[in-house]
Amino acid sequence: MDYYKILEINRDASASEVAKAYNKLSLKWHPKLSKLDHNTTYHHFCLISEAYEVLSDPIKRTFYDKYGEEKLKEGFFANGNLKGGYSFAGNPEEIFEKFFGTSNPFAQLIDTNGSENHGTLFSHAFGGQNFPGIPGPQDLEIQVECTLHELYNGCAKTVSYQRQVLNKDGITTRQITETKEIKIDRGIETGQKIVYKELGNEAAGFKSSDLIFLIKENPHPTFKRKGNDLLYIAKVNLANAIAADPIQIVTLDNRKLQVPVDQIISPKYVKMIENEGMPVFQQDEVKDFGKPYTFGNLYIRFDIQFPEDLTESQKNRIKDILLEGQQ
């Protein structure tokens, strides 16, 4: 039996070429994929599996190359191992599952030659039809948590993540950990994506998927974002609310903003300050380069803190003052 001929490769084929040949032919002759009768298909499936089992093992392959199939199955070698003869266990499904990581052949419909015309690979089994719906590797989406302070001012963040890459055989894959420093532009919002084309997961026969960083804003204790606007809840005591005293706000870029109040503060009162909201995200870095940022607005609502305890005298005095103001 000529194992090289069965796998349709040369005798000097590399380990990667052996694996690629098995990848192609095991799918072509898999009983669930082939249109030929079961006995013929299974016979070829077993031959391919046996050839791969021998040629993918350096010791078995060396013995086979030197002595041939018959001696391989009789055995011996001694210190270089082998000794007892090799015999195929009749387990092509087990070899298939070990190679692909799954027993499902339909999950492996990928063109190992990198062509997008899958019909060339499966023409024998599927009559030359194409499989445009076969998915490539999924985009790698990484969530990046940011504070509102970081989204307001912009920052750089170093992010660690795992991605799938091809092994040297060009077919099997492994997980590796990588880090990348990404720029968080001012004004970017929750749900926006920073995309690095073709730096995501790898899979045989496909372009690499995209690496996507998804922005997620963490809650802020005093500010709340709504689009490009900011909402701030100012806590004031009842006396300051009635006196319409000005308030001071520390902004997200650490400025102390003095806010005048031009009327008595009620629970429904909202103060709007133009251009003190979030910076508006600049979509086109080239077109917008050097341009000053525009800003949303800041809306201030008031949480009026009432006194927890008053004497009867104080209550009466406040009541008299309020009733007098209504006259």
Side-chain angles (χ1 to χ4, degrees), residues 52-320:
Y52 173 71
E53 190 171 48
V54 170
L55 298 184
S56 63
D57 185 311
I59 295 175
K60 291 187 180 73
R61 182 175 179 177
T62 299
F63 195 99
Y64 170 76
D65 287 345
K66 190 171 183 178
Y67 300 109
E69 179 205 356
E70 186 175 342
K71 290 292 184 182
L72 174 71
K73 292 183 176 178
E74 287 178 3
F76 239 73
F77 214 19
N79 292 333
N81 292 328
L82 190 62
K83 297 182 181 177
Y86 163 77
S87 85
F88 179 59
N91 58 339
E93 295 89 354
E94 184 179 321
I95 295 171
F96 183 92
E97 184 172 357
K98 185 177 180 181
F99 181 88
F100 286 107
T102 176
S103 60
N104 179 12
F106 297 102
Q108 305 304 323
L109 297 182
I110 55 175
D111 187 343
T112 57
N113 292 320
S115 168
E116 293 185 2
N117 181 0
H118 297 277
T120 58
L121 175 59
F122 306 109
S123 56
H124 183 88
F126 290 92
Q129 69 190 56
N130 294 323
F131 295 87
I134 297 171
Q138 288 187 336
D139 288 338
L140 179 57
E141 195 169 281
I142 309 298
Q143 185 172 277
V144 181
E145 295 188 359
C146 300
T147 65
L148 192 56
H149 182 273
E150 290 173 328
L151 298 181
Y152 184 96
N153 295 284
C155 66
K157 295 182 82 75
T158 301
V159 183
S160 296
Y161 56 91
Q162 285 194 324
R163 73 183 187 101
Q164 174 182 292
V165 297
L166 287 166
N167 291 316
K168 290 183 180 180
D169 61 13
I171 299 172
T172 57
T173 60
R174 70 185 189 279
Q175 292 285 326
I176 63 171
T177 299
E178 292 188 343
T179 59
K180 192 170 189 66
E181 185 174 280
I182 61 173
K183 179 186 176 186
I184 306 296
D185 289 318
R186 298 187 73 185
I188 197 167
E189 296 186 55
T190 283
Q192 283 188 253
K193 298 177 178 180
I194 301 171
V195 180
Y196 292 87
K197 302 295 285 186
E198 298 181 20
L199 291 183
N201 292 314
E202 298 177 354
F206 291 95
K207 288 182 179 180
S208 298
S209 66
D210 293 340
L211 172 61
I212 300 172
F213 293 104
L214 182 67
I215 302 299
K216 182 189 176 187
E217 175 193 319
N218 288 333
H220 191 276
T222 53
F223 287 97
K224 185 175 181 180
R225 182 177 186 174
K226 190 172 183 180
N228 294 320
D229 295 328
L230 286 172
L231 173 65
Y232 180 85
I233 306 296
K235 291 185 177 182
V236 297
N237 61 46
L238 181 59
N240 294 134
I242 293 172
D245 290 335
I247 63 170
Q248 179 177 279
I249 296 174
V250 178
T251 63
L252 290 170
D253 55 352
N254 294 319
R255 290 176 293 117
K256 292 181 179 179
L257 184 65
Q258 298 292 331
V259 181
V261 179
D262 51 13
Q263 67 181 71
I264 293 175
I265 299 173
S266 70
K268 294 182 179 180
Y269 177 62
V270 178
K271 178 78 175 180
M272 187 269 283
I273 305 177
E274 292 184 351
N275 301 318
E276 286 292 350
M278 292 292 293
V280 177
F281 176 66
Q282 294 180 341
Q283 297 278 357
D284 192 328
E285 287 189 359
V286 176
K287 183 179 177 181
D288 295 330
F289 180 77
K291 288 185 178 180
Y293 279 90
T294 57
F295 291 80
N297 298 321
L298 171 63
Y299 292 88
I300 305 171
R301 302 195 67 160
F302 295 87
D303 180 8
I304 301 172
Q305 308 290 301
F306 284 76
E308 294 183 359
D309 187 39
L310 292 172
T311 66
E312 286 300 318
S313 174
Q314 288 171 326
K315 291 177 184 178
N316 289 331
R317 283 166 57 196
I318 293 171
K319 181 179 178 180
D320 290 342

